Structures are given as C-alpha cells and as structure tokens.
Amino acid sequence: MSHALSYYHKADTYFVKGKNYINLGNNLNRIGRIYFKHKRNAAALNNFREALKLFRTGNDHKGIAESYSYIGQVFEQKEAYDSSHLYQELALAEFKRLNDKSQIAYTYSRIGSIYEDQLKLQTALKYFLLVHKIYSEGPASVELAAIMNNIGDTYRKIGNYNQALHYSKRAETLAARLHDNRQLSSAHRDLAKTFEQLKQYDSAYYYSEKSRMAYSKSYNTESEKQLNLIQTLFDVQHKDNEIEQLESKNRFSHILTLSILVSSLLATFLGISLLSRQRLKISNSKILFETRQQSMELELYNKQLQQESLKAELELRSKELTSITLHMIKKNEVLEDLKTRLASIVKEDKRDQRKELKQLVEFINLNSSQDKSWEDFRVVFEHVHKDFFEKLMMHTGGLTATDLRFLALLKMNLNSADMATMLAVSQTSLRTTRYRLRKKLQLPEDASLQKFVHNL
C-alpha cells in the first residue's frame, strides 16, 4: 500500500505542474480506491470528492460517473444506505448518458446489493434481473455466472425454490464451462441450500461436497497467486536495495574523487609543506571516517528492513493458517448436521437404504474426526489478536460461536466475498448476520461495526 501511494503522490506533482486536471482526477480516484480497500473510509471519501470537483470543472462525464460510484460504495460500506443509493443513482444517470452498458450493469448490481442489505429482496431481485438482461446480450462471462448466482440465491430467500434451482444450475453450467472455481463453488453451495430447504438431504449433501471441492481448487489457485505476488514484491524490494547500495557507492566515489582533487590542489599550492600535508591527512581521515559511518548506518537500516519484512510475512502466514482452520471447522459443522439427519433416517425401519445410510454416517464420522476443532482456531487466532474474544465476551455475553467466527473474520479485514466463502453462506446471509450482531452489541445507528471490532 505505502509503495503504491508513494508513486501515485509523485504522479500528482507532475499532473499539477502540467495542469492536467483530468489525469489528476483519475489519479485521486486510484488513491481513494487504495484507501477504500484498506477500510480507511474518511481518506477514501476525501480523494473521491476532490476528484469529482476536478471532473466537474473539466466536464468529464466518465470521471464524474466513476467518482459518484466510488462515493456510493464508501457510504454502503459505512451502512449509510440512503446516501449510498443517492450516489449510485447519480452514477447510473451519467453512465446511461454515456451509453456504457458494462458500467450500467455494474451500477444496477450495486443498487440491488443496497436493497439486499436492507432485506428488500423483491426490489433487489428487480435490479439483479436487469443486470442479467444486459450481460445475456453479450458473450458468456464470469459476471453473468455471478449475477445468476445472486438471482438464484435471492429467489431462495424469497421462497421460490423452482426459480432458485433454475438460475443456480445455469450458473453452475456456465461457471464449469468458464473453469471459474469460485463461481462454481458458489453455485454448488446455493444448490445445496435450496435442496436442504426442500428437505432433499441426499442432494443437499452431494452439492455441499461439490462446493467444498470447487472451493478447495479456487483456494489453491488464489494461494498460488498470493505467493507469486509476495515473490514479486520481494524481488522489487531486493532490486530497490541494490539500487540504494549502488547510489551509496556512487556517493562514496564522488566523495573520494573530490578528496583526491582537494589533495592535489593543496599539494600544488602548498608544495612540500609538512604542516599542510599533515592537515590534509587529517581532513582525508575525517572524510573516510564519515563515509564508513554512513555505510554502517545504511547496512543497519537494511537489516531493519529485512526484519520488518520477515515479521510481516510471519503475520501473513498466521492469518492464512487461521483462514484454513476456520474452513475446516465449517466443514465439520456441515458434516455433523448431515450426520444427525442421516442417523434419524436410519432409525426409521421403513427405509430401504438403511445399510447404505449407515455407511454414509460412518464416512461422515471418519471425515469429521480429521478436522481441527474450533478451539484450535481460537488458539491460532489469539496469537495474532491478543484477548480479542475475551474483550468481546466482556462487552456482551449473548454471542454465539457463529457470531464469534464472523467477528474474527471481520477483524482480519477480509472482504465480503471472501467472508461469505469462508463461512459457506451467501453475501445476503452475511449482511443479515451483520445486522443481527449490531443489535446484540447494542451499537448506535451511526456507529460502524467494522470500527467497533478494530477498536477492541
């Protein structure tokens, strides 16, 4: 984050000097998006508003529309839904003026999400269907699979299970054709939930397992991307250090050259004077001493940077371990629930599949025992965030295990999509959990749940 902001701020200087205000506005929006990604909403909002002023001055409607959209997203994250809706409608009007179908569809999706946050599911569905219509006019895409997943999930929430199955299966087919494991996992998860609502538990278990396998593939892909990113950042840091060392050597070379020149001039003007040569030796010794001292300070600084880098990497590994543990716990919960229901079916003597169901229960027992417990997760998590759960329980005693997991993920700064995946729930359920927790924690209407968790 710091490196990106440093370069963007340097670019600001050149844009201001050249009076290139449109590029300056775009640069401010990029800076705002970095702050927004790291939950620094106040700083993000300031940059988006400054960019909006510049675009209005230059009458740049694309920039105006994008700034409106970014401001709306900040208000949505702050749960100020009325303000968020207002800015997204302003953005929509600008994108329609530009006839930018891709951005129109994206803005419809943002407005639908706002209504979904407020549990106005019928209105949210209307906007999701508008997005689906736009994406259906173009080639097959991941965005089309994602919106079909949203539509299927919304129909399930409303209770229209036939439509829910229809859209979730379409999303499954498209995601498989596009080889997108994230959307495929989401489609399988939604199908499992719908079959569970229909009390078709065999199908629910089948799709739950498929969701787990697709998610595992997606997680491995994401992990590989993150490792590549870490390696790239390490290489860049290594190159920066080499450049700094080279610059340090050049400075030393300039100092040494200057010292030789001064010595030659002194020797020319002062001749063979013993006193003058003695003074020259003292002067040269002082310069050499200072140069060595600077070199030692630079070496010490580089070692401190390496230690900080190792510390940051250790923290990252700890958080990854926490995420993996939480996923295993979620799997145990699903398997335990299915095991209980299958055991109940086994007790009914009229069942023809009694023997096979017993085998399924034994299989679930075998897989369930291999996962780590929630207590293991708590131990790992509290190594990273000291006394977090104790402070939560001191605030209120009515939190469930699910509440604690959600708040732990919120503390880790995961985005909504990743949190939904880790908890194996839809983003709609995630927003419902957020709303319920605000009541349990007795937070004022204008208080942010995100800020409350990070202040613990």
Side-chain angles (χ1 to χ4, degrees):
M1 172 182 173
S2 59
H3 282 82
L5 287 176
S6 174
Y7 285 114
Y8 280 135
H9 285 306
K10 288 179 180 178
D12 270 353
T13 304
Y14 290 103
F15 291 141
V16 171
K17 288 181 179 179
K19 297 183 179 180
N20 194 337
Y21 297 119
I22 300 302
N23 282 338
L24 179 59
N26 288 325
N27 201 54
L28 287 171
N29 272 342
R30 294 188 190 99
I31 294 172
R33 287 166 63 184
I34 292 175
Y35 283 126
F36 176 73
K37 183 178 180 181
H38 289 82
K39 313 297 183 185
R40 295 178 60 180
N41 290 331
L45 200 57
N46 287 336
N47 281 278
F48 292 148
R49 283 174 170 164
E50 287 298 320
L52 180 59
K53 291 179 183 178
L54 292 171
F55 289 132
R56 283 173 173 170
T57 301
N59 200 29
D60 186 297
H61 292 283
K62 180 181 179 182
I64 291 171
E66 290 177 348
S67 297
Y68 279 146
S69 179
Y70 295 146
I71 293 172
Q73 291 175 47
V74 174
F75 280 117
E76 183 180 0
Q77 186 165 279
K78 293 172 68 176
E79 300 180 8
Y81 298 119
D82 290 342
S83 297
S84 178
H85 188 196
L86 171 63
Y87 278 100
Q88 291 298 350
E89 288 289 352
L90 290 172
L92 180 62
E94 293 292 337
F95 284 130
K96 285 182 176 179
R97 180 175 182 177
L98 296 168
N99 196 28
D100 189 334
K101 290 188 177 181
S102 175
Q103 289 297 332
I104 290 172
Y106 177 74
T107 308
Y108 277 146
S109 177
R110 299 305 318 174
I111 295 174
S113 297
I114 293 170
Y115 281 116
E116 194 177 11
D117 287 342
Q118 297 173 296
L119 300 180
K120 298 178 180 179
L121 299 179
Q122 290 288 357
T123 307
L125 181 61
K126 180 184 74 172
Y127 281 95
F128 290 152
L129 289 171
L130 288 173
V131 178
H132 178 266
K133 180 180 179 182
I134 294 174
Y135 284 144
S136 296
E137 294 172 353
S141 63
V142 174
E143 289 78 10
L144 179 58
I147 197 61
M148 287 194 292
N149 271 327
N150 283 350
I151 293 172
D153 186 58
T154 306
Y155 271 124
R156 180 182 64 81
K157 289 293 183 181
I158 294 172
N160 190 338
Y161 301 125
N162 288 333
Q163 286 288 64
L165 289 173
H166 172 73
Y167 279 98
S168 294
K169 286 182 178 179
R170 286 181 62 191
E172 175 193 27
T173 302
L174 180 57
R177 182 152 61 94
L178 296 174
H179 305 290
D180 189 290
N181 288 310
R182 179 180 290 275
Q183 293 302 326
L184 186 61
S185 174
S186 180
H188 287 159
R189 185 176 62 250
D190 289 343
L191 285 168
K193 290 181 180 179
T194 304
F195 279 120
E196 184 180 5
Q197 293 291 328
L198 292 170
K199 301 188 184 303
Q200 298 181 24
Y201 300 120
D202 290 346
S203 296
Y205 175 75
Y206 170 76
Y207 280 106
S208 177
E209 283 298 299
K210 292 193 73 174
S211 174
R212 180 184 63 79
M213 289 187 289
Y215 168 76
S216 178
K217 293 179 181 178
S218 173
Y219 181 82
N220 290 338
T221 302
E222 290 298 323
S223 297
E224 185 177 351
K225 289 180 180 178
Q226 290 180 4
L227 287 174
N228 289 336
L229 177 59
I230 291 173
Q231 182 62 45
T232 301
L233 292 175
F234 177 81
D235 291 341
V236 170
Q237 184 65 40
H238 182 67
K239 292 295 182 183
D240 287 344
N241 289 339
E242 288 181 348
I243 292 171
E244 288 180 3
Q245 291 175 4
L246 182 59
E247 290 177 347
S248 177
K249 289 180 180 178
N250 288 336
R251 286 195 298 269
F252 176 78
S253 177
H254 291 321
I255 292 173
L256 186 59
T257 300
L258 181 61
S259 299
I260 294 172
L261 179 60
V262 170
S263 300
S264 299
L265 291 173
L266 288 173
T268 301
F269 284 103
L270 300 179
I272 59 173
S273 172
L274 180 62
L275 180 60
S276 296
R277 282 184 294 179
Q278 187 65 26
R279 290 177 179 175
L280 178 61
K281 289 174 65 176
I282 294 172
S283 177
N284 287 339
S285 297
K286 182 179 179 182
I287 293 173
L288 183 60
F289 173 79
E290 290 175 351
T291 302
R292 289 178 178 174
Q293 186 178 16
Q294 290 175 359
S295 178
M296 292 176 64
E297 289 174 353
L298 181 60
E299 184 179 355
L300 179 61
Y301 176 71
N302 287 335
K303 288 182 178 179
Q304 290 175 346
L305 285 179
Q306 291 176 359
Q307 290 175 353
E308 290 174 0
S309 177
L310 290 173
K311 182 180 179 182
E313 184 176 357
L314 177 61
E315 291 175 353
L316 178 62
R317 297 301 181 193
S318 298
K319 292 182 180 179
E320 288 178 348
L321 178 60
T322 302
S323 298
I324 294 171
T325 306
L326 182 58
H327 166 67
M328 291 181 176
I329 293 169
K330 182 61 185 178
K331 174 186 172 184
N332 254 8
E333 290 177 350
V334 174
L335 291 176
E336 185 64 26
D337 182 60
L338 287 173
K339 183 180 73 175
T340 302
R341 294 180 183 182
L342 290 172
S344 175
I345 295 174
V346 170
K347 291 180 182 179
E348 296 180 15
D349 295 333
K350 295 180 181 181
R351 294 286 182 178
D352 296 331
Q353 302 89 351
R354 182 184 182 103
K355 182 177 179 180
E356 295 183 25
L357 291 174
K358 284 183 177 179
Q359 292 174 351
L360 282 175
V361 172
E362 293 173 358
F363 172 75
I364 293 171
N365 279 330
L366 177 60
N367 281 273
S368 177
S369 64
Q370 293 174 354
D371 283 346
K372 296 183 179 180
S373 67
W374 168 241
E375 288 302 320
D376 291 335
F377 167 78
R378 291 175 68 107
V379 171
V380 177
F381 181 85
E382 288 191 330
H383 273 101
V384 181
H385 304 286
K386 300 290 185 181
D387 304 324
F388 177 76
F389 294 112
E390 293 182 8
K391 292 176 181 177
L392 273 177
M393 300 308 292
M394 288 174 62
H395 188 81
T396 177
L399 296 176
T400 66
T402 301
D403 294 336
L404 292 174
R405 295 169 192 164
F406 175 83
L407 292 170
L409 292 177
L410 199 61
K411 178 72 173 177
M412 292 164 62
N413 281 328
L414 295 183
N415 59 44
S416 296
D418 288 341
M419 288 173 66
T421 301
M422 296 300 294
L423 293 172
V425 299
S426 68
Q427 293 197 32
T428 301
S429 299
L430 204 63
R431 297 185 185 97
T432 303
T433 301
R434 187 189 295 270
Y435 176 79
R436 177 169 47 78
L437 274 172
R438 288 176 59 84
K439 285 191 173 182
K440 281 189 178 183
L441 295 171
Q442 299 180 352
L443 296 180
E445 291 183 359
D446 58 343
S448 168
L449 179 60
Q450 183 84 31
K451 186 175 181 181
F452 167 79
V453 170
H454 281 281
N455 286 338
L456 285 178

